[in-house]
């Protein structure tokens, strides 16, 4: 008995120390981030101080993360830095009222105490439920950096913000409800970074506000549908901003606005030749401006995003940009070629530096190049294609990651030549019924295969035996796939399998038990577990989650002697059966060294309101769902 109690104490102590260590590393990383931003933005001394001789933090800089210490803050008269690492707990908390603070990172929504922090130079608000900043922000006359991140309800900023004459960097990231900046932002003469500018036709909100600002870094101009002519566009003076290396332009889709001459507006928004990343969304012109066809002007470009430019029939000669590494093209209904320029001589390669290419919703795209003789894409490693039914894939010698969405019927035979492909993702291929054995035979290097939401897929085929290097297999919501091929017993490298049952058919496919070396199995949304699961003696980790109808475990679980970890998450009926010492199934799993049971977490009232206000937040995996209103902004914020 004493040994058992000692074991429990040691285990709890180990868990505590592990959590404390994780918190320490989070704290350290946040400090390093602030310090790096101070150096990068040339922040005046005082935000984060270091001793030169041993590089340890100065004793006047401190960090408070535990909620129970809030009451002791009043005694910390010399506190310089406050970082809140617990956003889910902090919205009900007030800010520290220590006037000596120089740097503050918080997710609090109660900001009335800001007016007392008159020495503040660095302020980050993240995951806060604020809708705007208090007017008293104007008292922060020493503020140099203001960062607003992941504030879903932030819709505007107060006009008093332009009174902060020492403000150098205003950075807004993932604040999707923001519709307006303060008027006359151009009055902030020392501003060097303005990540977002939103155009409105009223005075104080036009592009003329950008004319005299010496901006650098990233600039995303939204609301260009409000720019009536090229003269107003030229007022932004973008071509003179040599420190601006990331430029993104967005037109809205308000049908009530008069049709503007987008082509002339875009022509007047010529970027400086130092531009390295460029993107635009919602452009309604049929052709690109002359400056985008000037290869020497754009020679430094590394990233290009062209999103929902529906009327464009032709793109610039992007294949001739020497340093282009990432290209995203989406939503151009009449586009036939990504690059229709001519290439002369065998030594001239198209897209010679491109590593990542995404082609979405291009219904008439036929080829990457019009000139089929040219060698292309020698370094391309990641390719994502969706809704490009006419595309003929070129020779892709180095593609290691491929995602295909919206495929109509069969896998193209060109895939069989991808002999260095390591990851293949098939998503939303509604007409796909089986995997081609010819294609599978060519994928000799494949390590990861993910198949998601393919409603008619019913056969992986015996060609799976060719995937001798396959290590991970994921099958999500494929209701017709009720059995795996017998050749799965030859996949000795397959160690990790995930099955996510479809609502109409929440079962585990037969044949899974014949995978010889399976070590990790994850099961979501299934309503029963087969008895043969208890005979998969190679299993070391088993994850069972999101199974509201699952009632019990097979009795054979007691034979899983190699199983080291069992996680059961949000399975309310099964949870009762597996309750430690008391559940009916406990005797079958008591031998497992690490068992974790997570109960169903009901949404709070605030979370329910949040989901209704911001429904896209409820999607489990946003990476596979493109939404025109938000996807472009998300990509820009991540770059």
């Amino acid at each position: 008995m004493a040994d058992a109690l000692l074991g429990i104490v040691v285990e709890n102590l180990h868990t505590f120390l592990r959590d404390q260590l994780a918190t320490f590393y989070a704290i350290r990383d946040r400090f390093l981030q602030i310090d790096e931003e101070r150096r990068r933005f040339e922040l005046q001394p005082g935000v984060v101080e270091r001793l030169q001789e041993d590089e340890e933090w100065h004793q006047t800089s401190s960090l408070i993360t535990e909620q129970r210490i809030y009451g002791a803050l009043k005694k910390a008269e010399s506190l310089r830095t406050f970082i809140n690492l617990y956003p889910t707990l902090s919205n009900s908390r007030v800010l520290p009222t220590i006037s000596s603070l120089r740097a503050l990172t918080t997710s609090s929504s109660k900001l009335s105490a800001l007016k007392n922090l008159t020495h503040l130079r660095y302020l980050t608000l993240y995951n806060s439920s604020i809708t705007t900043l208090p007017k008293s922000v104007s008292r922060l006359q020493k503020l140099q950096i203001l960062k607003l991140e992941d504030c879903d309800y932030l819709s505007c900023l107060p006009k008093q913000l332009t009174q902060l004459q020492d403000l150098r960097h205003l950075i807004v990231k993932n604040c999707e409800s923001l519709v307006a900046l303060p008027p006359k932002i151009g009055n902030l003469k020392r501003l060097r970074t303005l990540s977002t500018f939103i155009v409105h036709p009223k005075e104080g909100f036009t592009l003329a506000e950008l004319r005299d600002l010496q901006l650098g870094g990233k600039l995303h101009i939204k609301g260009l549908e409000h720019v009536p002519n090229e003269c107003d566009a030229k007022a932004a003076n973008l071509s003179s901003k040599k420190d601006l290396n990331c430029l993104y332009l967005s037109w809205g889709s308000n049908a009530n606005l008069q049709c503007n001459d987008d082509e002339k507006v875009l022509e007047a928004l010529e970027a400086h030749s130092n531009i390295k990343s460029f993107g635009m969304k919602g452009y309604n012109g049929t052709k690109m401006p002359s400056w985008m066809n000037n290869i020497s002007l754009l020679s430094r470009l590394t990233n290009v995003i062209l999103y929902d430019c529906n009327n464009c029939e032709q793109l610039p000669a992007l294949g001739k940009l020497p340093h282009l590494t990432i290209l995203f093209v989406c939503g151009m209904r009449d586009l036939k070629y990504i690059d229709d320029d001519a290439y002369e001589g065998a030594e001239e390669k198209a897209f010679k530096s491109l590593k990542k290419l995404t082609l979405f919703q291009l219904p008439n795209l036929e080829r990457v190049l019009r000139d089929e003789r040219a060698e292309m894409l020698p370094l391309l490693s990641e390719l994502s294609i969706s809704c490009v039914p006419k595309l003929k894939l070129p020779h892709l010698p180095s593609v290691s990651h491929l995602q295909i969405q919206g495929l109509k019927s069969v896998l193209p035979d060109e895939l069989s030549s991808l002999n260095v492909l390591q990851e293949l993702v098939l998503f939303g291929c509604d007409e796909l019924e089986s995997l081609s054995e010819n294609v599978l035979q060519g994928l000799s290097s494949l390590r990861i295969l993910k198949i998601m939401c393919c409603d008619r897929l019913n056969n992986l085929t015996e060609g799976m035996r060719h995937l001798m290097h396959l290590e991970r297999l994921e099958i999500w919501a494929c209701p017709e796939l009720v059995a795996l091929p017998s050749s799965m017993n030859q996949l000795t490298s397959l160690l990790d399998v995930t099955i996510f049952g479809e609502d109409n058919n929440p079962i585990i496919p037969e044949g899974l038990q014949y995978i010889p070396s399976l070590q990790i199995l994850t099961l979501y949304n299934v309503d029963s577990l087969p008895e043969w699961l208890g005979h998969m003696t190679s299993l070391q980790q088993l994850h069972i989650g999101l199974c509201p109808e699952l009632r019990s475990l097979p009795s054979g679980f007691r034979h899983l002697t190699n199983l080291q970890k069992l996680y059961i998450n949000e399975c309310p009926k099964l949870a009762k059966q597996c309750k430690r010492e008391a559940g009916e199934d406990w005797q079958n799993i008591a031998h497992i060294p690490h068992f974790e049971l997570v109960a169903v977490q009901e949404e709070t009232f605030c979370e329910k309101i949040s989901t209704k206000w911001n429904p896209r937040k409820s999607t489990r995996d946003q990476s596979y769902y493109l939404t025109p209103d938000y996807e472009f902004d998300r990509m820009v914020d991540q770059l």
Side-chain angles (χ1 to χ4, degrees):
M1 183 68 178
D3 290 342
L5 290 174
L6 179 60
I8 294 174
V9 170
V10 171
E11 181 179 355
N12 290 338
L13 179 60
H14 180 267
T15 301
F16 172 78
L17 292 175
R18 180 191 61 195
D19 293 343
Q20 291 300 309
L21 186 62
T23 301
F24 166 76
Y25 283 122
I27 291 170
R28 182 200 63 180
D29 292 345
R30 197 66 175 174
F31 262 122
L32 293 175
Q33 179 187 5
I34 291 179
D35 195 37
E36 172 61 24
E37 288 170 350
R38 178 183 65 80
R39 291 194 299 267
R40 181 159 56 93
F41 293 141
E42 297 181 354
L43 188 65
Q44 293 178 358
V47 174
V48 179
E49 301 176 8
R50 281 189 174 183
L51 294 176
Q52 296 294 327
E53 57 272 18
D54 58 6
E55 294 189 349
E56 292 181 355
W57 298 113
H58 195 279
Q59 292 182 356
T60 58
S61 293
S62 304
L63 178 69
I64 306 297
T65 60
E66 296 290 347
Q67 299 299 314
R68 64 179 181 269
I69 305 180
Y70 266 82
L73 290 178
K74 296 179 181 179
K75 301 178 182 179
E77 298 178 355
S78 300
L79 191 71
R80 298 295 184 91
T81 300
F82 181 91
I83 300 176
N84 186 337
L85 296 178
Y86 296 93
T88 58
L89 300 176
S90 61
N91 275 335
S92 61
R93 299 285 182 175
V94 296
L95 292 178
T97 57
I98 304 166
S99 60
S100 62
L101 275 181
R102 304 300 199 266
L104 172 63
T105 295
T106 182
S107 58
S108 175
S109 58
K110 298 180 179 180
L111 304 178
S112 58
L114 271 181
K115 61 180 180 291
N116 300 318
L117 308 181
T118 55
H119 294 285
L120 206 61
R121 293 175 171 85
Y122 178 105
L123 173 61
T124 292
L125 293 173
Y126 72 106
N127 284 323
S128 172
S129 60
I130 59 169
T131 57
T132 187
L133 293 176
K135 297 178 181 179
S136 59
V137 72
S138 62
R139 298 184 61 178
L140 308 181
Q141 287 298 308
K142 296 182 180 181
L143 193 66
Q144 298 177 26
I145 298 177
L146 174 60
K147 295 181 66 176
L148 305 166
E149 299 182 10
D150 299 304
C151 299
D152 291 337
Y153 312 107
L154 182 67
S155 60
C156 62
L157 298 177
K159 62 181 181 180
Q160 289 81 4
L161 193 69
T162 57
Q163 298 177 23
L164 303 179
Q165 288 301 306
D166 208 25
L167 191 64
R168 316 292 176 86
H169 308 281
L170 175 56
I171 301 168
V172 179
K173 185 177 181 180
N174 293 330
C175 298
E176 296 168 346
S177 299
L178 187 67
V179 295
L181 292 181
K184 300 188 181 302
I185 201 80
N187 288 342
L188 296 174
K189 302 300 183 182
R190 294 187 177 183
L191 201 61
R192 294 297 176 264
T193 304
L194 178 63
S195 64
T196 302
F197 181 79
I198 303 174
V199 181
H200 285 284
K202 295 181 181 179
E203 184 180 357
F205 296 94
T206 67
L207 288 175
E209 295 299 318
L210 303 178
R211 179 188 289 115
D212 299 322
L213 295 179
Q214 301 301 310
L215 297 177
K218 178 193 298 185
L219 172 62
H220 183 185
I221 303 178
K222 301 181 180 182
L224 285 170
E225 70 275 12
H226 296 294
V227 181
N229 53 58
E230 58 186 313
C231 291
D232 281 48
K234 283 184 179 179
N237 195 23
L238 295 182
S239 60
S240 71
K241 302 186 189 305
K242 60 182 178 61
D243 295 325
L244 194 66
N245 50 45
C246 300
L247 176 63
Y248 305 99
L249 308 173
S250 293
W251 283 258
S253 56
N254 193 333
N256 296 323
L257 295 174
Q258 295 182 351
C259 181
N260 300 315
D261 194 343
D262 287 2
E263 292 180 3
K264 292 182 179 179
V265 168
L266 183 56
E267 187 71 56
L269 292 173
E270 179 178 341
H272 192 276
S273 60
N274 287 338
I275 198 78
K276 293 182 178 180
S277 184
F278 175 79
M280 62 181 183
K281 176 182 78 76
Y283 173 65
N284 288 316
T286 59
K287 61 181 181 180
M288 294 295 178
S290 59
W291 60 269
M292 287 189 66
N293 288 292
N294 186 343
I295 300 301
S296 61
L297 177 68
L298 303 179
S299 62
R300 292 181 173 87
L301 267 181
T302 60
N303 298 348
V304 171
I305 304 172
L306 302 174
Y307 200 102
D308 279 356
C309 303
N310 286 313
N311 297 326
C312 276
E313 300 174 355
Q314 184 178 3
L315 299 182
L318 299 174
K320 295 186 175 181
L321 296 175
H323 302 294
L324 186 65
T325 58
I326 298 176
L327 175 61
F328 185 105
V329 183
C330 169
M332 298 185 185
R333 57 185 174 225
D334 296 320
L335 189 68
K336 291 185 177 182
Y337 312 102
I338 300 299
D339 186 345
D340 64 358
D341 212 25
Y343 287 79
E344 299 178 0
E347 69 282 353
E348 189 176 18
K349 297 180 181 180
F351 298 103
K352 65 180 183 180
S353 299
L354 197 67
K355 296 180 179 179
K356 185 175 181 179
L357 174 62
T358 304
L359 304 174
F360 273 45
Q361 298 173 2
L362 306 171
N364 289 298
L365 185 68
E366 297 176 7
R367 293 196 300 271
V368 174
L369 294 184
R370 178 195 286 268
D371 189 348
E372 291 185 302
R373 301 168 302 168
E375 184 179 349
M376 70 183 85
L377 303 167
L379 300 180
L380 187 69
S381 60
E382 296 184 40
L383 173 62
S384 298
I385 57 176
S386 173
C387 302
V388 285
K390 299 181 180 180
L391 177 64
K392 180 181 178 182
L393 288 177
H395 176 57
L396 301 170
S398 58
V399 168
S400 59
H401 296 76
L402 173 62
Q403 176 180 320
I404 300 177
Q405 181 177 343
L407 193 69
K408 291 299 181 183
S409 55
V410 297
L411 292 177
D413 286 337
E414 294 94 329
L415 297 187
S416 62
S417 64
L418 302 180
N419 53 19
V420 299
L421 189 69
Q422 296 188 31
E423 180 175 359
L424 174 61
V425 179
L426 303 175
F427 177 80
C429 302
D430 295 337
E431 303 298 323
L432 184 67
E433 296 185 0
S434 65
L435 303 185
S436 165
E437 181 163 356
N438 179 52
V439 169
L440 293 176
Q441 186 174 3
L443 303 180
S444 57
S445 300
L446 198 67
R447 295 173 50 251
I448 300 172
L449 175 60
K450 300 180 182 180
I451 306 173
M452 303 178 174
C453 303
C454 297
D455 292 344
R456 297 190 181 183
L457 182 69
N458 57 59
N459 187 8
L460 298 186
T461 75
E462 296 297 332
M464 290 292 291
R465 68 182 182 277
H466 298 295
L467 306 182
M468 296 304 297
H469 293 95
L470 191 67
E471 298 174 1
R472 188 160 88 235
L473 172 65
E474 298 186 13
I475 301 173
W476 297 63
C478 298
E480 298 297 319
L481 190 63
V482 297
L484 301 180
S486 60
S487 60
M488 299 293 289
N489 64 1
Q490 301 179 36
L491 303 184
T492 56
S493 296
L494 184 54
L495 305 177
D496 188 344
V497 170
T498 295
I499 304 292
F500 198 117
E502 210 272 342
D503 288 342
N504 296 326
N505 194 16
I507 65 171
I508 302 173
E510 180 73 22
L512 186 68
Q513 69 269 36
Y514 301 123
I515 301 174
S517 305
L518 191 62
Q519 296 180 7
I520 302 173
L521 177 60
T522 302
L523 303 172
Y524 291 120
N525 196 34
V526 296
D527 58 5
S528 65
L529 300 178
E531 281 297 326
W532 49 255
L533 193 61
H535 302 298
M536 300 181 67
T537 56
S538 63
L539 279 182
Q540 297 181 17
Q541 295 184 33
L542 177 60
H543 307 248
I544 304 173
L546 306 175
C547 304
E549 299 303 318
L550 186 60
R551 297 177 180 272
S552 64
L553 299 176
S555 59
F557 262 52
R558 67 183 65 185
H559 302 305
L560 299 179
T561 55
N562 290 318
L563 194 63
Q564 300 297 308
K565 297 180 180 180
L566 173 61
Y567 300 94
I568 299 177
N569 180 28
E570 297 196 32
C571 304
K573 296 178 181 178
L574 181 61
K576 296 179 181 178
Q577 297 291 102
C578 297
K579 190 175 181 181
R580 191 176 296 272
E581 304 293 346
E584 292 185 13
D585 285 338
W586 171 248
Q587 60 182 346
N588 296 325
I589 60 175
H591 66 284
I592 301 173
H594 185 100
F595 172 53
E596 185 173 331
L597 183 63
V598 180
V600 177
Q601 297 179 353
E602 295 289 338
E603 275 191 322
T604 66
F605 177 76
C606 291
E607 288 172 337
K608 291 178 181 179
I609 295 296
S610 172
T611 300
K612 288 183 177 295
W613 174 267
N614 197 2
R616 60 189 175 277
K617 293 291 185 183
S618 63
T619 304
R620 289 193 180 275
D621 188 346
Q622 296 291 331
S623 62
Y624 291 102
Y625 297 89
L626 291 179
T627 53
D629 291 339
Y630 309 111
E631 182 67 13
F632 181 78
D633 290 354
R634 186 181 70 85
M635 288 190 293
V636 168
D637 286 338
Q638 287 181 347
L639 290 174

